[in-house]
């Protein structure tokens, strides 16, 4: 029986990547003022950041509705197939609740709260795809992912506090002081929520802080999916991070073949451009 893998666009796959992996990706909605777009369909990541940088209007994202999930699940049911559904963290969005509501009284639909977002959610989906391609059933994939998701770590270094200020997460005074002192916040997702791990003075110290966090987390399991991630229109900050942290990867991959993805709207609206990070399963 075919197993469908369904996720939402907070996983930050492009349409092309989703097609290549044979996954269904339901789009969140993004609103800039009076204009609403479907994530990854009407706005790719570059177009999103162009709007974010150019406008003073802070964008809002809308969760996927139970109706939209139900429509996708009904198609699976009609084909007499099964599905594993991996959603954006329930602590950050109502997508998980919508999916669970839509799956009520439906057989063969397994819903997983990733307790993560963007690249952290993405590598869990990639793991589910790997298991599907190995021939595991939907239930077996669900059980394996529920266990594996507890080992995912996502850490990132932000370039600016400005977008956290715009989103009401910090005060203007804190944002201004951070800009003057060149403070780079180091964040992570733990327990499904975004937390502040620390602050660094300048990019070099920030990159060192990321390396330290990765090592103290137990290191990267290179037999599992992992990915570097950046936000914005340029990879310059990412390239600098790869250069600074080459000892983490040099035994396993050269810089040119490291997996890299870009951050989209779900997290990008809060962290802004110039961020760099990594999601991995701990060793």
């Amino acid at each position: 029986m075919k197993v469908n893998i369904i996720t939402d666009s907070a996983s930050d796959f492009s349409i092309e990547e989703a097609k290549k992996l044979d996954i269904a990706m339901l789009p969140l909605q993004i609103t800039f003022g009076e204009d609403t777009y479907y994530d990854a369909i009407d706005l790719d990541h570059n177009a999103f950041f162009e709007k974010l940088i150019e406008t003073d209007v802070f964008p809002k994202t809308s969760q996927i509705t139970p109706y939209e999930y139900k429509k996708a699940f009904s198609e699976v049911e009609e084909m007499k197939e099964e599905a594993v559904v991996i959603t954006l963290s329930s602590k950050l969005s109502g997508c998980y609740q919508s999916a669970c509501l839509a799956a009520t009284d439906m057989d063969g639909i397994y819903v997983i709260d990733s307790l993560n977002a963007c690249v952290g959610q993405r590598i869990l989906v990639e793991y589910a795809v790997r298991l599907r391609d190995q021939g595991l059933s939907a239930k077996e994939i669900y059980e394996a992912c529920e266990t594996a998701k507890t080992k995912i770590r996502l850490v990132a270094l932000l370039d600016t506090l400005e977008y956290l200020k715009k989103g009401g997460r910090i005060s203007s005074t804190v944002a201004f002081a951070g800009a003057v002192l060149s403070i780079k916040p180091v964040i992570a997702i733990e327990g499904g929520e975004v937390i502040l791990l620390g602050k660094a003075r300048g990019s070099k110290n920030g990159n060192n802080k990321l390396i330290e966090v990765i090592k103290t987390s137990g290191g990267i399991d290179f037999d599992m999916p992992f990915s570097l991630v950046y936000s914005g229109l340029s990879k310059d900050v990412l390239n600098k991070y790869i250069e600074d942290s080459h000892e983490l990867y040099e035994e396993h991959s050269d810089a040119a073949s490291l997996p890299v993805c870009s951050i989209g709207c779900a997290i990008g609206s809060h962290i802004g451009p110039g961020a760099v990070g990594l999601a991995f399963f701990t060793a």
Side-chain angles (χ1 to χ4, degrees):
M1 182 181 293
K2 180 180 177 180
V3 178
N4 297 269
I5 306 296
I6 301 174
T7 191
D8 52 71
S9 62
S11 57
D12 288 344
F13 290 101
S14 67
I15 296 298
E16 294 74 22
E17 288 171 330
K19 287 180 180 178
K20 184 176 180 180
L21 292 174
D22 190 21
I23 61 175
M25 186 173 68
L26 305 183
L28 282 74
Q29 289 188 340
I30 318 162
T31 301
F32 281 91
E34 297 181 356
D35 298 323
T36 299
Y37 307 88
Y38 282 105
D39 183 25
I41 296 175
D42 301 325
L43 283 180
D44 63 16
H45 294 179
N46 280 355
F48 166 74
F49 274 101
E50 286 172 356
K51 283 189 170 293
L52 185 69
I53 293 167
E54 291 171 0
T55 181
D56 291 330
V57 177
F58 189 78
K60 297 179 181 179
T61 55
S62 300
Q63 69 191 51
I64 298 164
T65 65
Y67 171 80
E68 291 169 306
Y69 277 115
K70 190 75 171 182
K71 183 178 178 181
F73 298 168
S74 295
E75 291 176 3
V76 171
E77 192 174 53
E78 287 172 9
M79 297 296 292
K80 300 188 185 304
E81 297 172 350
E82 295 182 315
V84 175
V85 187
I86 299 176
T87 74
L88 172 61
S89 171
S90 61
K91 303 290 183 65
L92 301 175
S93 165
C95 287
Y96 174 70
Q97 289 82 359
S98 289
C100 288
L101 185 60
T104 302
D105 299 326
M106 298 187 79
D107 294 327
I109 307 295
Y110 297 85
V111 183
I112 299 170
D113 179 359
S114 73
L115 291 177
N116 229 297
C118 63
V119 70
Q121 180 180 347
R122 178 190 180 99
I123 64 171
L124 186 63
V125 173
E126 290 176 341
Y127 180 54
V129 168
R130 179 187 295 184
L131 298 179
R132 178 203 65 193
D133 293 347
Q134 290 173 357
L136 274 67
S137 69
K139 183 179 180 181
E140 289 170 333
I141 296 170
Y142 166 80
E143 291 172 346
C145 286
E146 282 288 351
T147 299
K149 75 181 186 182
T150 63
K151 295 185 177 182
I152 293 175
R153 297 291 181 270
L154 191 166
V155 293
L157 175 69
L158 309 191
D159 182 58
T160 175
L161 294 166
E162 180 66 21
Y163 293 89
L164 288 172
K165 182 197 77 175
K166 286 184 177 181
R169 301 299 178 95
I170 60 172
S171 70
S172 297
T173 302
V174 170
F176 177 75
V180 170
L181 298 173
S182 189
I183 295 298
K184 309 294 184 184
V186 179
I187 64 169
I189 292 186
E190 290 189 5
E193 298 182 291
V194 179
I195 66 165
L196 181 66
L197 288 180
K199 301 174 184 176
R201 184 77 63 85
S203 297
K204 177 68 174 180
N205 289 334
N207 286 346
N208 289 339
K209 179 68 175 177
L210 281 186
I211 295 168
E212 176 190 327
V213 171
I214 292 165
K215 289 180 176 178
T216 57
S217 295
I220 302 167
D221 183 351
F222 286 98
D223 292 328
M224 295 287 280
F226 75 99
S227 183
L228 295 160
V229 65
Y230 71 97
S231 67
L233 305 175
S234 170
K235 292 185 179 179
D236 289 348
V237 177
L238 174 67
N239 292 336
K240 182 64 169 64
Y241 168 72
I242 292 173
E243 179 184 328
D244 289 344
S245 60
H246 65 91
E247 74 273 12
L248 291 174
Y249 315 104
E250 58 189 0
E251 292 183 9
H252 305 276
S253 178
D254 60 73
S257 61
L258 286 170
V260 172
C261 70
S262 60
I263 291 176
C265 76
I267 297 297
S269 58
H270 295 286
I271 66 174
V276 63
L278 172 71
F280 60 97
F281 291 85
T282 56

